[in-house]
Amino acid sequence: MDKIVIQGGIPLKGQVDISGAKNSALPAISACLLSKGWNRLQGIPELKDVHTIKKIMEEMGVVFKEQGETLLVNTENLTSCHAPYELVKTMRASILLLGPLIARMGRAKISMPGGCAIGARPINLHLKALSSMGMDMYLEHGYINASAKRLKGARIFFDIPTVTGTENILMAAATAKGVTVIENAAKEPEVQDLACMLRSMGARIEGEGTDTILIEGVDELRPADHRIIPDRIETGTFMIGATITKGDIWINNCIPEHLTAVIEKLTAVGADIHIEDKRIHVIGPDIIRSVDIKTMPYPGFPTDLQAQFMALMCISDGSSIIHETIFENRFIHVSELRRMGADISIDGSQALVRGKDRLLAAPVMATDLRASACLVLAGLIAEGERTEIRRIYHLDRGYERLEEKFQKLGARIWREKDLSAP
Ligand code: EPZ
């Protein structure tokens, strides 16, 4: 196993290029199950989660060819519809295979994804919606055994605007018989990106990015040729990096309008933010002002940047309340930040962060993907010999060579073998 080592205190300077979005790449690769022939996806990041979903799909007979950040996907000869527990347990987003498999093959055997560090992560809304489209299913030995002759259009209301739930139904409804209406749909940019990809394959979809999406099923879809959007969470992570280190960076290949809530909050913190077409210039302030946040579905402040923002508030000039409304256990990074001297108290879904003058370097442990990024940001400003972050396989799930990108911005950060790991 590896660990990341950081000697903090260097303001980030220079330019960074954002990679393709993990949460667009996963549904896009799954959606290739809906068409035969060679699909071409561009901007696919080199991530552990992308590797995992490819491994699961290769077991089903899918053929992949990689040409740099371009991924060619051929699902002509599917031989299985089985997604095994050993792989699914490492990546919950495997549930995104359910909709397209049922639509394409009329059957699927997918391990129940189970929970993860940040919450129970139920999939009841996915299953209820697909059942209303004619999917029959039973749960046995931890697997979802699902079948359907041909899915039919339905009117679906999501109690909660679930991102992957909306994506599963978009993919299932694209070739269903009749019209599907999704109400209280998720509006995230990644959902909109999937709708664009499906439309380029011949799907008839309108309303993505609003509460109500209408999909008119077609008989078949042609192979995709689609470039996925840049990763707004990686973008936000670097914006916070420039702010927390009092740096001055240009973030290239991003979509600023995907980060309105984050720009608003970091401006309130005191960052000087300039926007160009596909670039954001962030200059960190001398004084980091304390600001409250509440995570909300898009376009609200994203839960996937909550931990990173908390690291920033640890050295603010006052107290801030961080209210996590999406996941029930997304404060695991708090105990690790406390090891670095942070003053944080938790009351249910709210954390009160009292800003300190500094954080202190310490050995810490990553617990989930975004908590890992939070600890990197804390390490960049921590005083002392070195911060060591263990179990960074969490980080590699969702960030493409993050330490190299920070190195290029001047940070003293590198990867080492963790000899203490069992
Ligand atoms: C997606 O997860 C993202 N993952 C998450 O990113 C992100 O944090 C989340 O959306 C919220 O934006 C991918 O896109 C692969 P949800 P998803 O269904 O779809 C409840 C990261 O770090 N819910 O929108 O699983 C659920 O418990 C990851 O990149 C049900 O109750 O999230 C949660 O409270 C972490 N029943 C809320 O809805 C269901 O059937 C929102 O979850 C589904 C969801």
Side-chain angles (χ1 to χ4, degrees), residues 320-338:
S320 80
I321 292 175
I322 294 184
H323 188 180
E324 172 58 58
T325 71
I326 307 295
F327 292 112
E328 69 270 26
N329 191 35
R330 204 166 199 175
F331 286 146
I332 314 166
H333 43 282
V334 167
S335 49
E336 297 306 303
L337 288 170
R338 283 180 183 142

Side-chain angles (χ1 to χ4, degrees), residues 71-93:
L71 182 65
L72 301 177
V73 189
N74 189 312
T75 68
E76 187 88 31
N77 304 306
L78 294 181
T79 55
S80 153
C81 62
H82 179 209
Y85 172 70
E86 294 66 34
L87 289 170
V88 171
K89 73 177 175 8
T90 66
M91 189 192 66
R92 292 191 60 269

Side-chain angles (χ1 to χ4, degrees), residues 145-263:
N145 297 274
S147 61
K149 287 189 183 53
R150 183 178 180 191
L151 293 172
K152 58 185 190 319
R155 177 173 288 277
I156 290 160
F157 176 80
F158 279 129
D159 301 352
I160 302 171
T162 161
V163 172
T164 50
T166 303
E167 290 166 345
N168 242 333
I169 298 308
L170 277 177
M171 293 187 279
T175 57
K177 186 169 176 51
V179 174
T180 298
V181 179
I182 307 173
E183 293 181 282
N184 200 23
K187 302 193 271 280
E188 273 66 10
E190 294 77 23
V191 173
Q192 299 180 52
D193 193 34
L194 175 64
C196 288
M197 173 184 166
L198 291 169
R199 196 179 293 119
S200 77
M201 297 166 75
R204 294 194 193 129
I205 299 173
E206 58 185 63
E208 70 275 8
T210 74
D211 293 316
T212 304
I213 305 177
L214 185 144
I215 308 104
E216 184 185 347
V218 296
D219 288 338
E220 66 175 42
L221 296 176
R222 53 181 175 270
D225 186 355
H226 181 72
R227 172 175 285 277
I228 65 167
I229 57 174
D231 195 314
R232 63 192 168 100
I233 303 304
E234 185 188 22
T235 305
T237 302
F238 280 103
M239 292 175 72
I240 295 172
T243 307
I244 201 171
T245 62
K246 301 180 174 49
D248 179 340
I249 71 171
W250 281 92
I251 303 169
N252 303 323
N253 180 41
C254 62
I255 302 180
E257 56 266 28
H258 287 168
L259 289 125
T260 304
V262 179
I263 290 167

Side-chain angles (χ1 to χ4, degrees), residues 22-23 121-125 162-164 304 326-327 370:
K22 167 179 84 83
N23 292 347
R121 311 294 295 277
I123 57 166
N124 59 310
L125 300 178
T162 161
V163 172
T164 50
D304 293 347
I326 307 295
F327 292 112
R370 306 305 174 180

Side-chain angles (χ1 to χ4, degrees), residues 12 40 43 56 73 85 109 119 121 123 135 182 210 215 218 229 240 266 274 280 343 347 380 386:
L12 300 179
R40 187 168 76 139
I56 294 173
V73 189
Y85 172 70
K109 181 177 180 184
R121 311 294 295 277
I123 57 166
M135 178 184 81
I182 307 173
T210 74
I215 308 104
V218 296
I229 57 174
I240 295 172
L266 290 180
H274 304 278
I280 300 178
D343 180 351
D347 179 8
L380 290 176
R386 54 196 256 164

Side-chain angles (χ1 to χ4, degrees), residues 268-290:
V269 166
D272 193 5
I273 298 175
H274 304 278
I275 291 167
E276 288 184 4
D277 180 25
K278 292 192 180 305
R279 303 205 307 166
I280 300 178
H281 183 196
V282 182
I283 302 171
D286 291 332
I287 305 288
I288 292 168
R289 288 197 292 265
S290 57

